[in-house]
Amino acid sequence: MKSLRFISAEAFVSNAEFARKSLGAVAHDLFPLLFKASYLLEQGEVIHDLVENWPLFDFNMGKLLGATLDYEEDLSHRTCSVCLESCLTGLRDYVLNQSSPYMKKLKVVDLTGIKDVEVQFCKCKKTMGRWARTQLLSKLCSDLLVYLQQAQCNPGTFEVSINVLIDLFVTEWNYELVVQALLKKCSCPLKICCVAFRSDNLTLQKFFYIIKLTDPSLLRKLEIVHNVHLEMEHLEMLFNCIHFPLLMSLTLPARTFNVRRFTAMDEQTLTNIGKKMGEMTQLTELSMSFSILTGRIQKLLSPLKTPLKMLDVSNCSLNHADMAFLANSFHANHLEALDLSGHDIPELYPSTFFKLLSHCSSVLRSLTLEDCNIQDTHVNMLILGLSPCQKLQEFKFIGNPLSSQALKHLFTFLCELPMLKNVEFPVPRDCYPIGITYPIDDASVCTFDHQKYERVAEELNFILLQANRDDVKASTPLFGSYDAAVQETNNELGAYLIKSFKETLEKFTSSFNKMS
């Protein structure tokens, strides 16, 4: 619902030429209202001029675009390229603007409230993701500094100092640009302040160099993913060299740990890493998927002094001792998000898992149990375990060998979970050819009866509709959930994979020729 104020603001900014000429007569406290109206209508030129003449002390994108009394819809998930580019170039021109009718008060710009989602509603249909925002801000900072050094600017321009809070996303393709912007941070009026850092497709040398430039003392979230070949000894080195006092969330790349080739020295390294994580008193989110951690979860997590709210140990080869530690640890009562995918839960530790589930049931919001060998005979027990989870918002169980009938039974129960919003369910086992084995490999994952699947999916959605739960989204993403970061950089990742394959092929050919 729009207030009369917001409708008036829309009418004002809809005529871009008139609005831009009239900004000098607009009251300061109306700028946030006009900004959100301009963003909704994708009036790039008006957005630019609003930011260029911003009269307030702070500019917080999350608050400006979030739900307000004048307009309840949250626009922070709209990563419209036109709007965001206008906003950032307007920020650059705020520094350069010598004829602004307002005294320059702006001290803090917070870009961290922008949310990257799969479906965009902007008219231009062109988004600016986290990587592109990192790229553009870094370029603007570098260009601004060059301009100030070459041009004859008002002395007051050099006194402008604005902290720009941003979630940086760095890969090989934008590494040099970001490094240059961070190196010149002290001299630039726009000072990049990294609150969250995601690194992909970087050599270890480059990762260690740039992470020091980000000012780790401010870092709250660190994601080291995919093509950063960080192993346990490198992680120990990272924690020994750099202090992360505010770190709340840590994501480590696949194969960081592999206990199958542990030596006595490796055991000590693991102990040291656990102690270092214990010193991170703000750490509440930890993702270590696709590492081999058999029998070592207690050693790694017991030093933590703050209970974890999110834990991802998918495909980590956990044994009964690991699950028993999790079920009995003080973390269990605080887990809001849990991912145990890739473990044969019914076969290995059914009672211990349900004990863990009962302990976190009062707070659990997201549960992922993909490829866990949950079969029809386990559905009643699963329903019993999920019944207390009244705050559950998301349940993902792709890759389990469940029949159409079992899925219908499970969906009938899921309708009773009042907070549930998202369900990711597997292709029914009876849609695949007889004899299919689980977990299903990538080559066979699409070899199911698509028409039969569509019929079953319609029946499952009908169950939701009959229960008045059309607020629940049910889907089957065969190759994993949407990842905005991966989607944005898939061209670079694809190029990296081709390069790696080519190098491997060349090494093989060279070795073969030597043997010949």
Side-chain angles (χ1 to χ4, degrees):
M1 194 72 178
K2 297 175 183 178
S3 70
L4 186 58
R5 267 170 40 104
F6 194 84
I7 294 172
S8 301
E10 282 187 294
F12 178 80
V13 302
S14 61
N15 185 333
E17 185 179 357
F18 172 76
R20 296 173 73 191
K21 288 179 180 178
S22 307
L23 282 183
V26 173
H28 294 189
D29 60 350
L30 291 178
F31 269 63
L33 178 70
L34 295 176
F35 179 82
K36 187 171 183 180
S38 302
Y39 204 96
L40 177 65
L41 299 180
E42 296 177 36
Q43 292 284 50
E45 292 179 333
V46 181
I47 290 172
H48 173 278
D49 287 12
L50 282 167
V51 178
E52 183 183 1
N53 296 283
W54 198 255
L56 306 174
F57 287 101
D58 73 319
F59 180 90
N60 187 314
M61 285 285 280
K63 289 182 179 178
L64 289 168
L65 299 178
T68 60
L69 292 174
D70 289 300
Y71 186 43
E72 293 180 354
E73 185 177 347
D74 186 348
L75 303 180
S76 61
H77 58 276
R78 294 198 182 189
T79 54
C80 172
S81 182
V82 170
C83 295
L84 290 173
E85 184 171 353
S86 299
C87 183
L88 290 175
T89 54
L91 183 60
R92 173 203 61 197
D93 294 338
Y94 174 92
V95 175
L96 297 175
N97 190 347
Q98 299 178 26
S99 59
S100 172
Y102 304 111
M103 183 178 70
K104 287 184 165 59
K105 297 179 181 178
L106 188 59
K107 296 298 178 186
V108 178
V109 171
D110 191 341
L111 304 176
T112 62
I114 303 169
K115 306 179 186 77
D116 295 294
V117 296
E118 183 173 5
V119 180
Q120 289 290 333
F121 296 98
C122 60
K123 297 172 188 174
C124 74
K125 302 298 180 184
K126 185 179 179 184
T127 62
M128 181 181 288
R130 182 176 169 184
W131 188 91
R133 296 194 296 272
T134 299
Q135 168 102 340
L136 180 57
L137 179 61
S138 300
K139 185 178 187 304
L140 290 175
C141 288
S142 297
D143 291 350
L144 179 60
L145 200 55
V146 170
Y147 180 82
L148 292 176
Q149 290 170 345
Q150 294 177 348
Q152 291 184 341
C153 298
N154 188 318
T157 304
F158 294 93
E159 296 175 9
V160 175
S161 179
I162 303 170
N163 289 328
V164 185
L165 279 59
I166 186 172
D167 299 336
L168 292 180
F169 182 10
V170 181
T171 67
E172 180 66 37
W173 285 10
N174 68 354
Y175 171 81
E176 293 295 339
L177 193 59
V178 181
V179 164
Q180 289 305 311
L182 292 173
L183 282 171
K184 299 170 182 175
K185 174 181 173 178
C186 293
S187 307
C188 186
L190 298 179
K191 303 185 183 302
I192 295 177
C193 297
C194 180
V195 177
F197 184 84
R198 181 184 176 98
S199 171
D200 192 356
N201 195 29
L202 273 186
T203 64
L204 281 175
Q205 184 180 8
K206 289 183 176 179
F207 166 73
F208 271 86
Y209 182 67
I210 196 169
I211 196 67
K212 291 178 181 178
L213 294 178
T214 61
D215 191 356
S217 65
L218 300 176
L219 213 56
R220 295 176 187 170
K221 186 172 185 177
L222 176 59
E223 297 172 277
I224 314 167
V225 297
H226 304 125
N227 300 313
V228 180
H229 300 300
L230 187 85
E231 296 186 3
M232 191 174 61
E233 58 270 26
H234 308 128
L235 184 61
E236 182 187 29
M237 190 187 308
L238 177 68
F239 288 164
N240 284 336
C241 295
I242 301 173
H243 188 44
F244 299 95
L246 299 181
L247 196 68
M248 300 171 66
S249 178
L250 175 63
T251 298
L252 299 173
R255 296 180 294 279
T256 299
F257 304 98
N258 185 356
V259 303
R260 289 176 184 165
R261 50 183 177 83
F262 262 27
T263 63
M265 187 176 293
D266 291 326
E267 294 288 358
Q268 185 58 49
T269 299
L270 188 68
T271 301
N272 294 341
I273 290 171
K275 288 179 179 178
K276 287 294 182 182
M277 289 201 301
E279 295 172 5
M280 300 174 190
T281 56
Q282 306 293 316
L283 189 65
T284 57
E285 299 181 358
L286 183 60
S287 176
M288 305 179 290
S289 59
F290 289 94
S291 280
I292 300 176
L293 286 165
T294 313
R296 304 305 197 285
I297 285 291
Q298 182 171 358
K299 182 176 283 190
L300 201 56
L301 300 187
S302 59
L304 299 185
K305 299 176 180 65
T306 307
L308 291 172
K309 293 182 179 180
M310 189 283 281
L311 178 63
D312 180 355
V313 283
S314 55
N315 299 282
C316 284
S317 302
L318 303 188
N319 62 16
H320 187 272
D322 295 316
M323 190 61 69
F325 168 76
L326 290 176
N328 295 303
S329 69
F330 78 125
H331 302 291
N333 295 313
H334 298 85
L335 285 171
E336 297 177 11
L338 177 63
D339 190 340
L340 292 170
S341 299
H343 295 99
D344 191 343
I345 289 173
E347 179 69 26
L348 296 176
Y349 23 64
S351 59
T352 316
F353 164 71
F354 285 113
K355 182 179 181 181
L356 171 61
L357 196 58
S358 69
H359 284 171
C360 63
S361 60
S362 63
V363 295
L364 191 66
R365 293 183 294 104
S366 175
L367 178 63
T368 307
L369 301 174
E370 298 178 357
D371 297 312
C372 285
N373 196 31
I374 299 171
Q375 302 178 32
D376 290 15
T377 54
H378 308 130
V379 169
N380 286 334
M381 185 63 74
L382 181 62
I383 289 173
L384 194 63
L386 289 174
S387 293
C389 303
Q390 294 294 297
K391 292 184 178 178
L392 195 68
Q393 298 175 18
E394 183 176 64
F395 182 38
K396 302 179 181 181
F397 56 108
I398 299 287
N400 288 292
L402 292 166
S403 69
S404 305
Q405 200 60 39
L407 285 171
K408 293 173 190 176
H409 181 36
L410 184 55
F411 264 64
T412 302
F413 158 73
L414 291 176
C415 292
E416 300 173 11
L417 297 177
M419 307 292 287
L420 194 66
K421 297 297 178 188
N422 184 43
V423 177
E424 293 185 2
F425 64 94
V427 173
R429 188 187 66 230
D430 42 299
C431 289
Y432 279 104
I434 295 173
I436 192 80
T437 57
Y438 285 79
I440 301 173
D441 58 52
D442 290 344
S444 305
V445 74
C446 291
T447 61
F448 58 90
D449 185 331
H450 289 255
Q451 289 185 338
K452 184 175 182 179
Y453 164 77
E454 290 298 337
R455 289 197 299 271
V456 174
E458 284 181 13
E459 291 174 9
L460 296 176
N461 277 296
F462 185 67
I463 291 172
L464 294 173
L465 287 173
Q466 276 192 314
N468 294 319
R469 293 307 306 271
D470 53 345
D471 58 323
V472 178
K473 177 191 174 185
S475 61
T476 306
L478 291 174
F479 298 101
S481 303
Y482 176 78
D483 186 322
V486 171
Q487 186 71 24
E488 187 181 13
T489 55
N490 57 8
N491 288 338
E492 181 175 352
L493 294 177
Y496 173 83
L497 290 173
I498 292 171
K499 181 184 176 185
S500 298
F501 178 74
K502 183 180 177 183
E503 289 174 353
T504 303
L505 195 61
E506 286 173 351
K507 288 178 183 177
F508 174 79
T509 305
S510 177
S511 299
F512 183 78
N513 290 336
K514 287 179 181 178
M515 290 174 62
S516 301

